[in-house]
Amino acid sequence: VVGGIASVRDTQCGFKLFTRAAVRRLFPALHVERWAFDVELLWLALREHAMHVEEVAVAWQEIDGSKLSVALASLQMARDLARIRLHYTTRFWSPNVDAVRFARDHGQ
């Protein structure tokens, strides 16, 4: 799997629930702000912090009128998936929230 999250069938589902502890640990460490932020969250939770993730089916109704450019969104997603894998496997991005906070607080 390109994103490295083989255990999750639908990384792009619009519904995500987190415990307060998971939010405090995962969200400050995020780097991706586009479509692939879901994959980065799952990467951090599963691969970096060994958290339990459970998929639950929800009823979804598509609504016409989306302004999404599928071509552009697909390119952005592919780029971000590659960035996630590269930066975490090379440790260019730290999954450690304390390291991220230090860098932000000290202009790094």
Side-chain angles (χ1 to χ4, degrees), residues 73-99:
S74 296
L75 290 173
Q76 291 171 339
M77 180 74 154
R79 182 200 66 207
D80 287 341
L81 291 175
R83 288 176 59 216
I84 291 167
R85 181 179 287 276
L86 175 67
H87 291 325
Y88 282 112
T89 56
T90 62
R91 294 296 189 215
F92 184 76
W93 287 348
S94 173
N96 181 335
V97 174
D98 294 331

Side-chain angles (χ1 to χ4, degrees), residues 8-60:
V8 177
R9 290 185 304 176
D10 185 359
T11 63
Q12 298 310 114
C13 174
F15 296 98
K16 294 181 178 49
L17 299 173
F18 299 91
T19 64
R20 180 175 289 136
V23 166
R24 288 181 176 157
R25 191 164 199 183
L26 300 175
F27 280 77
L30 286 177
H31 295 87
V32 175
E33 297 177 355
R34 298 181 195 256
W35 302 107
F37 87 95
D38 315 72
V39 177
E40 185 180 9
L41 274 172
L42 290 167
W43 180 287
L44 287 168
L46 294 168
R47 295 181 65 118
E48 303 291 346
H49 298 294
M51 293 179 171
H52 173 74
V53 172
E54 188 171 326
E55 289 184 86
V56 178
V58 294
W60 183 264

